[in-house]
Amino acid sequence: MLDDLDRTLEALLRHELPADLVSQIGITFAAPDDHFPPQSVTLPALDLFLFGVRENRDLRSAEPTVDRSGNGPVVRRLPFVRVACTYLVTAWPSESSTTPAFDEHRLLGEAMRALLRHPTIPEAVLQGGLPGQEPPLPTTMLEPDPAQSNIDLWHALRGTPRAAFTYTVTVGVEALEPVPAGPLVKERRFRYSVDGEPAE
């Protein structure tokens, strides 16, 4: 599921970023630590590092759903666990750039604009098992005063602090398998007695 989300965000950015940037940059999900970039990443690049996974209890539902689609038995599905996945988004200019700070801030700003356009992830870019989730995958970013937590994160990564923003997507996780709820009811029949009352 998390790898599906990574691929979804890469598809979203490649769809939304200006064409001249898309043709030049890499998109990676590596840790932005003191060894960044890894050998597999060519700069310039956008990095989306997944550093937080927690339940979104505001979207918790206790009600199961009943799936009557198809011709098979009715299936009872327990509610999805809603999981908030938080990324640290950073931009990394080319090592040969003569204006690295300018290039970094331009790339980070374009990524911010691209992600802000969508309060939910568009269905067209969803990958793997994510299409069809209800409600659609909500996003949040630029949360109030994240500076202190970001400083702690950079310290843990042993990396040099740099401009960054956080981006959170809430996905549904089906923790338990669907449970058969019996055959599909296709018709209902009533029997009446001679006096017009329903028969027992």
Side-chain angles (χ1 to χ4, degrees):
M1 179 273 297
L2 295 178
D3 57 325
D4 291 341
L5 182 55
D6 289 348
R7 288 194 291 269
T8 292
L9 296 182
E10 180 173 0
L12 176 60
L13 285 168
R14 293 201 179 279
H15 183 268
E16 293 291 333
L17 287 171
D20 64 315
L21 279 181
V22 171
S23 63
Q24 298 175 27
I25 67 168
I27 297 176
T28 176
F29 298 87
D33 55 19
D34 55 348
H35 298 297
F36 191 93
Q39 291 184 349
S40 59
V41 175
T42 301
L43 300 182
L46 277 172
D47 184 51
L48 288 76
F49 173 56
L50 178 62
F51 73 94
V53 180
R54 67 188 187 281
E55 183 182 0
N56 185 334
R57 297 190 176 184
D58 292 336
L59 296 179
R60 176 187 286 179
S61 172
E63 296 298 324
T65 59
V66 177
D67 184 357
R68 295 183 174 86
S69 61
N71 296 318
V74 176
V75 174
R76 181 173 177 268
R77 296 181 182 274
L78 296 178
F80 280 21
V81 178
R82 304 292 287 176
V83 177
C85 302
T86 301
Y87 293 81
L88 183 73
V89 184
T90 52
W92 300 75
S94 170
E95 294 176 341
S96 62
S97 172
T98 57
T99 55
F102 178 85
D103 293 349
E104 175 186 339
H105 294 169
R106 182 198 174 207
L107 181 52
L108 191 66
E110 291 291 352
M112 186 185 304
R113 290 178 59 193
L115 296 175
L116 279 171
R117 292 188 192 111
H118 300 284
T120 60
I121 302 293
E123 183 77 16
V125 300
L126 295 176
Q127 305 291 311
L130 298 182
Q133 288 201 9
E134 289 294 338
L137 280 59
T139 69
T140 57
M141 61 188 297
L142 308 178
E143 296 177 353
D145 195 22
Q148 186 59 48
S149 61
N150 284 355
I151 289 173
D152 293 341
L153 178 58
W154 285 115
H155 180 73
L157 290 169
R158 294 180 295 180
T160 302
R162 61 195 303 122
F165 63 85
T166 57
Y167 181 69
T168 301
V169 185
T170 298
V171 299
V173 178
E174 191 171 26
L176 298 174
E177 293 294 325
V179 178
L184 179 64
V185 177
K186 296 184 177 180
E187 61 182 22
R188 180 179 297 176
R189 296 181 179 181
F190 296 94
R191 292 188 303 152
Y192 290 87
S193 62
V194 292
D195 57 3
E197 293 297 326
E200 295 294 333

PDB file of all heavy atoms in Angstrom, residues 23 26 32 43 46 67 70 76 79 97 100-101 108 112 117 120 126 135-136 159 175 191:
ATOM      1  N   SER A  23      11.193  17.067 -17.329  1.00  0.00           N
ATOM      2  CA  SER A  23      12.173  16.433 -18.206  1.00  0.00           C
ATOM      3  C   SER A  23      13.589  16.446 -17.619  1.00  0.00           C
ATOM      4  O   SER A  23      14.459  15.732 -18.101  1.00  0.00           O
ATOM      5  CB  SER A  23      12.190  17.138 -19.568  1.00  0.00           C
ATOM      6  OG  SER A  23      12.608  18.490 -19.427  1.00  0.00           O
ATOM      7  N   GLY A  26      14.766  14.163 -11.161  1.00  0.00           N
ATOM      8  CA  GLY A  26      14.406  12.864 -10.628  1.00  0.00           C
ATOM      9  C   GLY A  26      13.464  13.050  -9.452  1.00  0.00           C
ATOM     10  O   GLY A  26      13.434  14.113  -8.833  1.00  0.00           O
ATOM     11  N   PRO A  32      16.742  11.869   3.341  1.00  0.00           N
ATOM     12  CA  PRO A  32      17.648  12.991   3.045  1.00  0.00           C
ATOM     13  C   PRO A  32      18.726  13.138   4.120  1.00  0.00           C
ATOM     14  O   PRO A  32      18.867  14.192   4.751  1.00  0.00           O
ATOM     15  CB  PRO A  32      16.698  14.188   3.011  1.00  0.00           C
ATOM     16  CG  PRO A  32      15.636  13.830   4.003  1.00  0.00           C
ATOM     17  CD  PRO A  32      15.456  12.326   3.885  1.00  0.00           C
ATOM     18  N   LEU A  43      20.873  14.232  -9.625  1.00  0.00           N
ATOM     19  CA  LEU A  43      20.369  15.578  -9.338  1.00  0.00           C
ATOM     20  C   LEU A  43      20.252  16.362 -10.650  1.00  0.00           C
ATOM     21  O   LEU A  43      21.002  16.105 -11.593  1.00  0.00           O
ATOM     22  CB  LEU A  43      21.317  16.281  -8.372  1.00  0.00           C
ATOM     23  CG  LEU A  43      21.511  15.595  -7.019  1.00  0.00           C
ATOM     24  CD1 LEU A  43      22.447  16.420  -6.139  1.00  0.00           C
ATOM     25  CD2 LEU A  43      20.192  15.349  -6.313  1.00  0.00           C
ATOM     26  N   LEU A  46      13.595  16.005  -6.658  1.00  0.00           N
ATOM     27  CA  LEU A  46      12.666  16.204  -5.551  1.00  0.00           C
ATOM     28  C   LEU A  46      12.695  14.952  -4.696  1.00  0.00           C
ATOM     29  O   LEU A  46      12.675  13.837  -5.228  1.00  0.00           O
ATOM     30  CB  LEU A  46      11.237  16.427  -6.056  1.00  0.00           C
ATOM     31  CG  LEU A  46      10.842  17.836  -6.507  1.00  0.00           C
ATOM     32  CD1 LEU A  46       9.457  17.804  -7.142  1.00  0.00           C
ATOM     33  CD2 LEU A  46      10.862  18.800  -5.320  1.00  0.00           C
ATOM     34  N   ASP A  67     -21.187  -5.348   0.405  1.00  0.00           N
ATOM     35  CA  ASP A  67     -20.923  -5.304  -1.028  1.00  0.00           C
ATOM     36  C   ASP A  67     -21.851  -6.284  -1.728  1.00  0.00           C
ATOM     37  O   ASP A  67     -21.715  -7.497  -1.567  1.00  0.00           O
ATOM     38  CB  ASP A  67     -19.453  -5.649  -1.288  1.00  0.00           C
ATOM     39  CG  ASP A  67     -19.083  -5.537  -2.758  1.00  0.00           C
ATOM     40  OD1 ASP A  67     -19.987  -5.245  -3.573  1.00  0.00           O
ATOM     41  OD2 ASP A  67     -17.901  -5.741  -3.087  1.00  0.00           O
ATOM     42  N   GLY A  70     -21.825  -7.800  -8.294  1.00  0.00           N
ATOM     43  CA  GLY A  70     -21.549  -9.108  -8.871  1.00  0.00           C
ATOM     44  C   GLY A  70     -22.675 -10.098  -8.629  1.00  0.00           C
ATOM     45  O   GLY A  70     -23.713  -9.775  -8.051  1.00  0.00           O
ATOM     46  N   ARG A  76     -19.498  -8.832   3.461  1.00  0.00           N
ATOM     47  CA  ARG A  76     -19.507  -7.797   4.510  1.00  0.00           C
ATOM     48  C   ARG A  76     -18.069  -7.349   4.748  1.00  0.00           C
ATOM     49  O   ARG A  76     -17.205  -8.154   5.074  1.00  0.00           O
ATOM     50  CB  ARG A  76     -20.102  -8.364   5.804  1.00  0.00           C
ATOM     51  CG  ARG A  76     -20.202  -7.383   6.965  1.00  0.00           C
ATOM     52  CD  ARG A  76     -20.971  -8.050   8.104  1.00  0.00           C
ATOM     53  NE  ARG A  76     -21.057  -7.206   9.274  1.00  0.00           N
ATOM     54  CZ  ARG A  76     -20.190  -7.232  10.275  1.00  0.00           C
ATOM     55  NH1 ARG A  76     -19.161  -8.086  10.253  1.00  0.00           N
ATOM     56  NH2 ARG A  76     -20.326  -6.430  11.312  1.00  0.00           N
ATOM     57  N   PRO A  79     -14.835  -1.692   8.241  1.00  0.00           N
ATOM     58  CA  PRO A  79     -14.360  -0.378   7.797  1.00  0.00           C
ATOM     59  C   PRO A  79     -12.842  -0.330   7.666  1.00  0.00           C
ATOM     60  O   PRO A  79     -12.119  -0.982   8.422  1.00  0.00           O
ATOM     61  CB  PRO A  79     -14.855   0.572   8.898  1.00  0.00           C
ATOM     62  CG  PRO A  79     -15.103  -0.301  10.085  1.00  0.00           C
ATOM     63  CD  PRO A  79     -15.539  -1.624   9.538  1.00  0.00           C
ATOM     64  N   SER A  97      25.231  23.384 -10.529  1.00  0.00           N
ATOM     65  CA  SER A  97      24.487  24.644 -10.598  1.00  0.00           C
ATOM     66  C   SER A  97      25.329  25.803 -10.071  1.00  0.00           C
ATOM     67  O   SER A  97      26.012  25.681  -9.052  1.00  0.00           O
ATOM     68  CB  SER A  97      23.194  24.534  -9.779  1.00  0.00           C
ATOM     69  OG  SER A  97      22.560  25.801  -9.698  1.00  0.00           O
ATOM     70  N   PRO A 100      22.660  27.458  -6.769  1.00  0.00           N
ATOM     71  CA  PRO A 100      21.987  26.318  -6.131  1.00  0.00           C
ATOM     72  C   PRO A 100      20.791  26.712  -5.268  1.00  0.00           C
ATOM     73  O   PRO A 100      19.772  26.020  -5.292  1.00  0.00           O
ATOM     74  CB  PRO A 100      23.103  25.671  -5.314  1.00  0.00           C
ATOM     75  CG  PRO A 100      24.138  26.718  -5.137  1.00  0.00           C
ATOM     76  CD  PRO A 100      24.070  27.565  -6.368  1.00  0.00           C
ATOM     77  N   ALA A 101      20.908  27.789  -4.498  1.00  0.00           N
ATOM     78  CA  ALA A 101      19.786  28.174  -3.638  1.00  0.00           C
ATOM     79  C   ALA A 101      18.577  28.585  -4.478  1.00  0.00           C
ATOM     80  O   ALA A 101      17.436  28.205  -4.176  1.00  0.00           O
ATOM     81  CB  ALA A 101      20.205  29.309  -2.715  1.00  0.00           C
ATOM     82  N   LEU A 108      11.354  23.567  -5.260  1.00  0.00           N
ATOM     83  CA  LEU A 108      10.496  23.328  -4.098  1.00  0.00           C
ATOM     84  C   LEU A 108       9.184  24.102  -4.229  1.00  0.00           C
ATOM     85  O   LEU A 108       8.109  23.581  -3.906  1.00  0.00           O
ATOM     86  CB  LEU A 108      11.225  23.739  -2.819  1.00  0.00           C
ATOM     87  CG  LEU A 108      10.567  23.312  -1.505  1.00  0.00           C
ATOM     88  CD1 LEU A 108      10.576  21.794  -1.364  1.00  0.00           C
ATOM     89  CD2 LEU A 108      11.284  23.952  -0.314  1.00  0.00           C
ATOM     90  N   MET A 112       5.365  22.628  -4.371  1.00  0.00           N
ATOM     91  CA  MET A 112       4.341  23.092  -3.443  1.00  0.00           C
ATOM     92  C   MET A 112       3.074  23.494  -4.193  1.00  0.00           C
ATOM     93  O   MET A 112       1.957  23.112  -3.813  1.00  0.00           O
ATOM     94  CB  MET A 112       4.882  24.277  -2.639  1.00  0.00           C
ATOM     95  CG  MET A 112       3.968  24.773  -1.543  1.00  0.00           C
ATOM     96  SD  MET A 112       4.636  26.267  -0.748  1.00  0.00           S
ATOM     97  CE  MET A 112       6.260  25.673  -0.221  1.00  0.00           C
ATOM     98  N   ARG A 117      -2.762  22.220  -5.414  1.00  0.00           N
ATOM     99  CA  ARG A 117      -3.920  22.257  -6.320  1.00  0.00           C
ATOM    100  C   ARG A 117      -4.960  21.200  -5.981  1.00  0.00           C
ATOM    101  O   ARG A 117      -6.102  21.285  -6.427  1.00  0.00           O
ATOM    102  CB  ARG A 117      -3.465  22.043  -7.771  1.00  0.00           C
ATOM    103  CG  ARG A 117      -2.647  23.175  -8.340  1.00  0.00           C
ATOM    104  CD  ARG A 117      -2.403  22.981  -9.840  1.00  0.00           C
ATOM    105  NE  ARG A 117      -1.402  23.915 -10.298  1.00  0.00           N
ATOM    106  CZ  ARG A 117      -0.178  23.582 -10.695  1.00  0.00           C
ATOM    107  NH1 ARG A 117       0.185  22.305 -10.724  1.00  0.00           N
ATOM    108  NH2 ARG A 117       0.680  24.493 -11.085  1.00  0.00           N
ATOM    109  N   THR A 120      -7.665  16.578  -2.535  1.00  0.00           N
ATOM    110  CA  THR A 120      -7.706  15.104  -2.541  1.00  0.00           C
ATOM    111  C   THR A 120      -6.903  14.628  -3.751  1.00  0.00           C
ATOM    112  O   THR A 120      -6.773  15.344  -4.749  1.00  0.00           O
ATOM    113  CB  THR A 120      -9.140  14.544  -2.621  1.00  0.00           C
ATOM    114  OG1 THR A 120      -9.747  15.006  -3.841  1.00  0.00           O
ATOM    115  CG2 THR A 120      -9.976  14.989  -1.431  1.00  0.00           C
ATOM    116  N   LEU A 126      -4.085   7.574  -9.293  1.00  0.00           N
ATOM    117  CA  LEU A 126      -3.978   6.555  -8.248  1.00  0.00           C
ATOM    118  C   LEU A 126      -3.404   5.260  -8.812  1.00  0.00           C
ATOM    119  O   LEU A 126      -3.792   4.813  -9.884  1.00  0.00           O
ATOM    120  CB  LEU A 126      -5.336   6.288  -7.616  1.00  0.00           C
ATOM    121  CG  LEU A 126      -5.961   7.463  -6.843  1.00  0.00           C
ATOM    122  CD1 LEU A 126      -7.347   7.091  -6.349  1.00  0.00           C
ATOM    123  CD2 LEU A 126      -5.066   7.875  -5.680  1.00  0.00           C
ATOM    124  N   PRO A 135     -13.908   7.619   1.442  1.00  0.00           N
ATOM    125  CA  PRO A 135     -13.875   8.831   0.617  1.00  0.00           C
ATOM    126  C   PRO A 135     -12.547   8.944  -0.115  1.00  0.00           C
ATOM    127  O   PRO A 135     -11.593   8.229   0.209  1.00  0.00           O
ATOM    128  CB  PRO A 135     -14.036   9.946   1.668  1.00  0.00           C
ATOM    129  CG  PRO A 135     -13.450   9.372   2.913  1.00  0.00           C
ATOM    130  CD  PRO A 135     -13.789   7.912   2.876  1.00  0.00           C
ATOM    131  N   PRO A 136     -12.465   9.859  -1.130  1.00  0.00           N
ATOM    132  CA  PRO A 136     -11.192  10.065  -1.833  1.00  0.00           C
ATOM    133  C   PRO A 136     -10.082  10.423  -0.863  1.00  0.00           C
ATOM    134  O   PRO A 136     -10.332  10.914   0.246  1.00  0.00           O
ATOM    135  CB  PRO A 136     -11.513  11.228  -2.780  1.00  0.00           C
ATOM    136  CG  PRO A 136     -13.002  11.172  -2.965  1.00  0.00           C
ATOM    137  CD  PRO A 136     -13.544  10.703  -1.652  1.00  0.00           C
ATOM    138  N   GLY A 159      21.467  14.997   8.869  1.00  0.00           N
ATOM    139  CA  GLY A 159      21.572  15.769   7.642  1.00  0.00           C
ATOM    140  C   GLY A 159      21.632  17.254   7.947  1.00  0.00           C
ATOM    141  O   GLY A 159      21.380  17.696   9.075  1.00  0.00           O
ATOM    142  N   ALA A 175      -7.577  -3.851   6.876  1.00  0.00           N
ATOM    143  CA  ALA A 175      -6.776  -4.674   7.774  1.00  0.00           C
ATOM    144  C   ALA A 175      -7.265  -6.119   7.824  1.00  0.00           C
ATOM    145  O   ALA A 175      -6.473  -7.041   8.035  1.00  0.00           O
ATOM    146  CB  ALA A 175      -6.795  -4.071   9.181  1.00  0.00           C
ATOM    147  N   ARG A 191     -47.019 -13.875   0.718  1.00  0.00           N
ATOM    148  CA  ARG A 191     -48.207 -14.733   0.629  1.00  0.00           C
ATOM    149  C   ARG A 191     -49.305 -14.116   1.475  1.00  0.00           C
ATOM    150  O   ARG A 191     -49.041 -13.638   2.592  1.00  0.00           O
ATOM    151  CB  ARG A 191     -47.910 -16.140   1.116  1.00  0.00           C
ATOM    152  CG  ARG A 191     -46.948 -16.895   0.182  1.00  0.00           C
ATOM    153  CD  ARG A 191     -46.842 -18.356   0.619  1.00  0.00           C
ATOM    154  NE  ARG A 191     -46.401 -18.472   1.995  1.00  0.00           N
ATOM    155  CZ  ARG A 191     -46.702 -19.502   2.814  1.00  0.00           C
ATOM    156  NH1 ARG A 191     -47.460 -20.471   2.357  1.00  0.00           N
ATOM    157  NH2 ARG A 191     -46.242 -19.518   4.034  1.00  0.00           N
TER     158      ARG A 191
END
